[in-house]
Amino acid sequence: MKENEYSKITPELENLADLSSRHFAIDPALYAKYDVKRGLRDINGKGVLVGLTEISEVCATKKDGDQIIPADGELFYRGYNVKDLIDGIGPDSHFGFEESAFLLIFGKLPTKEELAEFTQQLSYYRSLPTSFVRDIIMKAPSQDMMNTLARSVLTLYSYDERADDISIPNVLRQCMQLISLFPLLSVYGYQAYRHYHDGDSLFIHKPLPELSTAETILHILRPDSKYTPLEAKLLDIALILHMEHGGGNNSTFTTHLVSSSGTDTYSVIAASIGSLKGPKHGGANIKVVQMFEDLKQNLKDWTDEDEVRKYLKAVLNKQAFDHAGLIYGMGHAVYSLSDPRARIFRSYVERLSIEKGFNEEFALYSMVERLAPMVISEERKIYKGVSPNVDFYSGFVYHMLGLPLELYTPIFAIARIAGWSAHRLEEISYNSKIMRPAYMSVSSRREYIPMAERIRELKL
């Protein structure tokens, strides 16, 4: 097959797809009849309880007597409020991602000596196998960095002499290596793509052992390897806020699900990457940035509230942007009154907007943050409150940092690999059963039809 024909959809295949779609039509009323929790969530968006975890907790309600009422959201890592973790790194110059990763994996806050040893270990593992960049990353670079990342992770299996060993010490070693290598795999994959597809200069900077994960990303991405302290600090905070979010989010549940089969670490993490790639999960911040670019192009005056409100209504009514009817960055499956990550992020985002000269854009984001919940409540029936989620501001931060759009979701993965690692270790430590949820068949029984008696539905 010729290369340009590999992705070709033939007319015959179009006909087959039409036939297939006609046989994948389940009556929506059956879901209500059999009380099927679509998306593993109830009508209020609360997830179905499928497991227990000690790693993190997402809180969006509080008890008032016998009543459970919405409350400002809170996020806890191993029982510690993530706001306190971020506040705790503020007074000095150390970075918090590594400290929080230690907490998630080992269940305790590290001492100064423990953190130094852990960071040194991560630095030791931040080195790819000989010729890996040349033979793997540089060959057939993909336009989607998440696919590049997944392919690289699966290929690392071939370099690991103990790839299938799922003992705790070996899985811990594999997870620490992946935490260390994700920045390199992601950024080098992007550099290869922009070189071969866009004709740009190729930069492959070696990581420096003394740099944090956030500093490493900026160091190997930028041609001159330069960055300001505020840039590195804000990227570090973004990594902390994205590194973990309970066992029920789609990619972390994937980690538990695939780990329960007893397979190797590389297969598990590649599956989790595939989940995070989805625009309904890790790709959401890209949609926020694209929506704001569309908004700026279609508005005459960014400061006109009536004009902004009119645009938001058009988005909801599928008359603007991507016609999906969604104001991206608003609302969350769990949080109602507020997403704590967005609240924490906001003050730091404002500081960076001043340093970078994005004051007008920040004012626009603030206006949409205020108007969108009102517009949504006017146009839609909602079962809980609507507030900005972490994706609302994270894409804006990456834009101010000059990060390419192609790396937005991989940066999410660079953060979340710490959470995935903790959950994989938890799954193989405490659970022995393969996950096997139930699906009810609603297909009717049919008698077999001999070939000569079948009715043709398609002409190929």
Side-chain angles (χ1 to χ4, degrees):
M1 179 182 289
K2 296 180 180 178
E3 186 174 341
N4 62 353
E5 292 183 349
Y6 181 76
S7 304
K8 184 179 180 180
I9 298 177
T10 64
E12 293 81 6
L13 188 60
E14 290 275 12
N15 288 334
L16 288 171
D18 179 64
L19 174 62
S20 177
S21 65
R22 280 184 266 146
H23 290 274
F24 283 120
I26 295 176
D27 183 357
L30 293 176
Y31 289 94
K33 178 181 178 181
Y34 296 112
D35 192 28
V36 177
K37 302 296 190 296
R38 301 192 75 177
L40 292 180
R41 290 184 283 176
D42 63 21
I43 193 171
N44 297 312
K46 184 177 180 181
V48 174
L49 185 62
V50 296
L52 302 174
T53 183
E54 294 181 320
I55 295 168
S56 71
E57 182 182 5
V58 179
C59 297
T61 60
K62 65 180 180 180
K63 268 197 166 185
D64 185 6
D66 294 332
Q67 299 291 318
I68 297 178
I69 61 175
D72 283 321
E74 291 183 297
L75 176 61
F76 297 88
Y77 292 172
R78 293 286 190 173
Y80 294 97
N81 194 313
V82 72
K83 182 181 185 303
D84 294 335
L85 296 175
I86 290 175
D87 289 344
I89 64 173
D92 56 40
S93 60
H94 85 273
F95 290 85
F97 174 77
E98 289 75 14
E99 182 179 2
S100 297
F102 185 101
L103 171 64
L104 291 179
I105 293 172
F106 300 106
K108 66 180 289 289
L109 287 171
T111 64
K112 187 175 182 179
E113 293 75 19
E114 287 171 335
L115 180 59
E117 292 171 3
F118 180 67
T119 303
Q120 185 179 22
Q121 195 72 21
L122 291 177
S123 178
Y124 169 77
Y125 283 132
R126 191 162 279 153
S127 177
L128 287 165
T130 304
S131 302
F132 191 92
V133 174
R134 182 196 67 194
D135 296 340
I136 306 303
I137 294 178
M138 294 295 179
K139 297 291 177 68
S142 168
Q143 63 180 350
D144 192 292
M145 296 309 108
M146 291 296 280
N147 282 52
T148 296
L149 182 57
R151 183 186 68 177
S152 295
V153 168
L154 285 173
T155 305
L156 284 171
Y157 175 97
S158 303
Y159 292 82
D160 189 343
E161 294 180 355
R162 302 178 62 186
D164 288 307
D165 178 357
I166 62 170
S167 65
I168 297 298
N170 192 57
V171 170
L172 175 60
R173 185 264 305 175
Q174 292 170 330
C175 288
M176 290 183 64
Q177 285 180 313
L178 291 175
I179 291 171
S180 298
L181 292 176
F182 262 39
L184 275 60
L185 298 175
S186 300
V187 176
Y188 288 171
Y190 169 71
Q191 301 287 26
Y193 172 75
R194 65 190 289 272
H195 173 65
Y196 287 109
H197 286 262
D198 299 337
D200 294 330
S201 297
L202 180 62
F203 297 96
I204 301 293
H205 297 310
K206 291 185 66 176
L208 301 178
E210 68 271 18
L211 298 184
S212 68
T213 300
E215 291 174 304
T216 296
I217 294 170
L218 296 173
H219 164 69
I220 64 177
L221 175 63
R222 293 180 172 176
D224 60 4
S225 292
K226 294 181 179 179
Y227 49 87
T228 69
L230 180 58
E231 287 179 316
K233 179 65 75 174
L234 194 55
L235 184 54
D236 181 60
I237 290 170
L239 295 176
I240 297 170
L241 293 175
H242 284 87
M243 67 194 303
E244 169 59 12
H245 206 238
N249 71 78
N250 197 280
S251 59
T252 304
F253 181 64
T254 298
T255 301
H256 277 279
L257 176 69
V258 183
S259 289
S260 76
S261 74
T263 193
D264 66 278
T265 298
Y266 303 99
S267 296
V268 169
I269 300 303
S272 301
I273 291 170
S275 165
L276 190 67
K277 176 189 174 184
K280 294 180 181 180
H281 191 6
N285 56 17
I286 296 175
K287 282 289 190 178
V288 175
V289 171
Q290 292 172 336
M291 182 185 73
F292 269 90
E293 288 303 310
D294 185 74
L295 185 153
K296 289 187 286 188
Q297 291 175 12
N298 287 280
L299 262 61
K300 295 179 181 179
D301 183 2
W302 294 2
T303 64
D304 188 333
E305 286 196 12
D306 291 336
E307 199 174 355
V308 173
R309 182 186 286 268
K310 184 179 179 181
Y311 175 87
L312 295 176
K313 283 190 175 182
V315 170
L316 275 182
N317 292 317
K318 302 182 180 182
Q319 298 168 349
F321 186 42
D322 62 356
H323 306 285
L326 299 172
I327 299 178
Y328 292 98
M330 301 304 300
H332 191 270
V334 178
Y335 299 121
S336 53
L337 297 188
S338 64
D339 182 336
R341 301 168 299 172
R343 286 204 321 271
I344 295 167
F345 220 6
R346 195 181 193 282
S347 62
Y348 292 95
V349 174
E350 185 172 14
R351 286 170 54 193
L352 186 64
S353 70
I354 294 171
E355 178 180 289
K356 290 290 191 178
F358 282 85
N359 307 63
E360 292 183 1
E361 283 85 352
F362 180 76
L364 179 60
Y365 271 78
S366 298
M367 185 187 297
V368 172
E369 176 185 0
R370 178 168 49 84
L371 293 178
M374 293 187 284
V375 172
I376 293 171
S377 65
E378 292 167 2
E379 299 289 319
R380 298 272 173 86
K381 181 179 180 181
I382 56 177
Y383 297 96
K384 59 187 183 71
V386 176
S387 60
N389 57 50
V390 69
D391 294 317
F392 186 79
Y393 280 116
S394 62
F396 181 40
V397 168
Y398 301 155
H399 176 63
M400 288 192 289
L401 290 175
L403 304 182
L405 205 65
E406 292 89 345
L407 282 179
Y408 284 17
T409 312
I411 287 174
F412 198 160
I414 291 170
R416 189 56 63 87
I417 179 60
W420 291 339
S421 297
H423 281 277
R424 170 154 173 75
L425 287 162
E426 186 176 61
E427 180 65 35
I428 62 177
S429 296
Y430 299 115
N431 295 301
S432 60
K433 287 191 174 183
I434 184 171
M435 291 188 186
R436 182 63 169 84
Y439 267 69
M440 175 184 287
S441 174
V442 292
S443 174
S444 59
R445 301 288 195 269
R446 295 188 284 182
E447 294 291 332
Y448 178 78
I449 303 173
M451 178 73 74
E453 299 175 19
R454 298 173 194 170
I455 299 174
R456 182 171 182 170
E457 295 185 49
L458 290 175
K459 183 177 180 181
L460 300 179

